[in-house]
Amino acid sequence: MIEVTGHEESIWGIQCLPSDTMGLVMRTQMFDPPASESNLPNNLPPAARQRFLDILSANS
């Protein structure tokens, strides 16, 4: 279990480094800033990037 307490607006992308090439990622958002593709790092493996994009589109 992971517990995070946020005090500022933020968006966190979490990758499982051994498995991110297969797209094992998740996103968590603290408060209200809308996440977008511009929040993703440029060096993500293609499957991880696509999974984050899928998550973003499902939550918009």
Side-chain angles (χ1 to χ4, degrees):
M1 180 167 99
I2 298 171
E3 184 175 325
V4 177
T5 302
H7 299 283
E8 297 179 19
E9 294 182 351
S10 59
I11 300 166
W12 294 80
I14 301 168
Q15 307 171 244
C16 173
L17 290 178
S19 304
D20 70 347
T21 58
M22 295 180 286
L24 185 56
V25 297
M26 72 178 232
R27 177 197 71 134
T28 186
Q29 183 171 328
M30 307 254 184
F31 307 100
D32 274 338
S36 69
E37 185 174 356
S38 66
N39 299 115
L40 300 178
N42 293 327
N43 62 347
L44 284 174
R49 175 172 291 285
Q50 185 56 54
R51 182 66 186 123
F52 272 124
L53 292 174
D54 293 345
I55 292 167
L56 292 173
S57 67
N59 291 300
S60 60

